[in-house]
Structures are given as C-alpha cells and as structure tokens.
C-alpha cells in the first residue's frame, strides 16, 4: 500500500498589476481594462500621493464589469471575476508615460482552465488493483455558487493523461463535506484535475489517496 495527501490552493483567475510611480504625471491620462477606459479627472483622481492615487484607480476599475480591483500601497491588483482563460485576452493598457506608472502586461494573464494535484506515483506498488480517493474542501469563497469540480486522471507515462470513467458524484461547494471514490486502478500514475466555477472562486482542496 502507498498513500498520498495534499492541500492545494485553487485560484484560476487572470490578473494584472498597476504600479503608480509618479502621480503628478497622470493628469488626464487613461487606463483601459478589457473594453472600458477610465480617465484621470473623470473616473479617478491623481492627487496627494502615489498610494492615494492607486486607491482611486482601484475604485474606478472595481466598478468595471467582469473584474475587481484593490490597492495595497501604490500597487493596484486587478483580477477577473471568472475562472479560466477568457480574461487572458482582456486589454490592460495606458497612455501614461513609463515614469508615471507601469502595468504588468498588455493584457491580464495567468488565468487557467484547470489546476492539477501533484502526481501520485504508484509504480512501486506491487499488484496494484484499487485506488481509494477521499476529497473535501478546506475553504471556499466567492459568489454565484462557487464550485470546484474534480476529476481523477490516470497515466502510464506522466505525459499522456486520461480522465477516469468514474468521478465524484457532484462538484464541491461546502467545506468539510468529503466525497469518496473506490476505483479499479492499474495505471502507474494518478492526479486530480480541478476546475473552478462561479464568481471569484477561491478554494483549498484536500485530497487523500490510498493505493492497494
């Protein structure tokens, strides 16, 4: 027999950062997030300090549909509401000079379609026949019914992965509510694919596996 245990943080949303370097150079300048442009003097105010200006920018961006924003010091972090890759194409630009502010990229980035547990290597388990998987949420937050849907995958070479025909009965929505799978299993490697849904879904998933 051989066991596996992992707690995995789930956050599949695209994001970007804005760093205010010199607020005095931002008069009348614009910032575009996705298809919406905000303008200094209209939607946000460049005044007092870099930190105060970042707070004003974050408030204006937070009002834009499909994203949210918050400032810490002079840095504004912008995060897509939805998990997945769609927001990786959201425009993230400014007409301000480099000395006024910097942006992390021309688009938001880092959104992923799924996250995966570490690989459970069972190649040293003699006469492997069964894999028991127990999984539950240690934490979850978000709106619009945040859910993590998890699917066991198997491989013989850690390169080509396939969904197992047996999966969890439902998505995970409530903390500390375990689901268990007993699988006929002869592959050498297993991992769990996690897909988040809902608005601003952030979670921690606990997975335990026992090969025997």
């Amino acid at each position: 027999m051989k066991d596996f245990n992992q707690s995995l943080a789930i956050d599949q949303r695209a994001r970007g950062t804005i760093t205010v370097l010199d607020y005095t150079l931002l008069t009348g300048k614009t910032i575009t997030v996705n298809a919406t442009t905000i303008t200094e003097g209209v939607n946000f105010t460049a005044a007092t300090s870099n930190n105060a200006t970042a707070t004003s920018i974050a408030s204006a961006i937070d009002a834009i549909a499909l994203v949210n924003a918050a400032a810490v010091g002079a840095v504004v972090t912008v995060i897509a509401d939805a998990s997945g890759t769609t927001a990786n194409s959201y425009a993230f630009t400014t007409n301000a000079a480099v000395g006024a502010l910097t942006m992390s990229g021309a688009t938001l980035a880092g959104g992923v379609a799924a996250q995966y547990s570490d690989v459970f290597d069972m190649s040293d388990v003699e006469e492997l026949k069964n894999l028991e998987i127990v999984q539950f949420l240690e934490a979850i937050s978000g709106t619009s019914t945040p859910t993590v849907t998890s699917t066991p995958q198997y491989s013989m070479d850690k390169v080509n992965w396939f969904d197992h025909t047996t999966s969890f009965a439902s998505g995970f929505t409530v903390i500390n509510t375990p689901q268990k799978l007993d699988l006929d299993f002869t592959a050498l490697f297993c991992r769990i694919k996690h897909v988040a849904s809902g608005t601003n879904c952030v979670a921690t998933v606990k997975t335990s596996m026992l090969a025997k």
Side-chain angles (χ1 to χ4, degrees):
M1 292 194 299
K2 187 176 183 180
D3 64 356
F4 169 99
N5 292 281
Q6 183 183 35
S7 291
L8 181 66
I10 303 295
D11 189 346
Q12 299 168 2
R13 301 169 298 167
R15 64 197 65 217
T17 58
I18 301 167
T19 303
V20 180
L21 302 176
D22 186 346
Y23 73 94
T24 65
L25 301 178
L26 287 174
T27 302
K29 300 303 182 182
T30 64
I31 297 170
T32 298
V33 179
N34 197 10
T36 300
T37 298
I38 59 173
T39 303
E40 194 282 326
V42 179
N43 309 104
F44 70 94
T45 302
T48 309
S49 68
N50 292 341
N51 289 8
T53 300
T55 298
S56 182
I57 291 171
S59 179
I61 293 175
D62 198 52
I64 296 173
L66 305 180
V67 298
N68 60 89
V72 176
V75 179
V76 180
T77 299
V78 181
I79 305 177
D81 289 344
S83 301
T85 60
T86 298
N88 290 338
S89 63
Y90 286 5
F92 197 53
T93 60
T94 183
N95 67 354
V98 173
L101 59 76
T102 58
M103 301 182 73
S104 57
T107 64
L108 298 186
V112 295
Q115 286 174 260
Y116 301 87
S117 72
D118 290 344
V119 174
F120 184 22
D121 183 345
M122 298 170 287
S123 59
D124 56 350
V125 178
E126 294 185 8
E127 299 182 358
L128 174 65
K129 294 180 180 179
N130 178 265
L131 179 63
E132 178 184 289
I133 305 173
V134 177
Q135 184 171 285
F136 63 92
L137 293 175
E138 295 181 306
I140 191 166
S141 62
T143 58
S144 302
T145 314
T147 303
V148 176
T149 301
S150 301
T151 305
Q153 293 189 316
Y154 65 91
S155 175
M156 297 300 290
D157 56 10
K158 292 195 291 188
V159 176
N160 300 293
W161 289 92
F162 307 94
D163 289 352
H164 198 280
T165 55
T166 302
S167 193
F168 293 101
S170 62
F172 292 83
T173 59
V174 181
I175 64 171
N176 298 324
T177 303
Q179 293 187 45
K180 179 181 177 181
L181 290 177
D182 256 314
L183 306 178
D184 293 330
F185 210 90
T186 56
L188 300 180
F189 307 101
C190 180
R191 69 181 184 183
I192 310 297
K193 177 176 71 176
H194 303 289
V195 178
S197 59
T199 302
N200 291 312
C201 181
V202 177
T204 303
V205 177
K206 174 71 173 184
T207 302
S208 298
M209 294 187 270
L210 178 63
K212 51 191 176 180

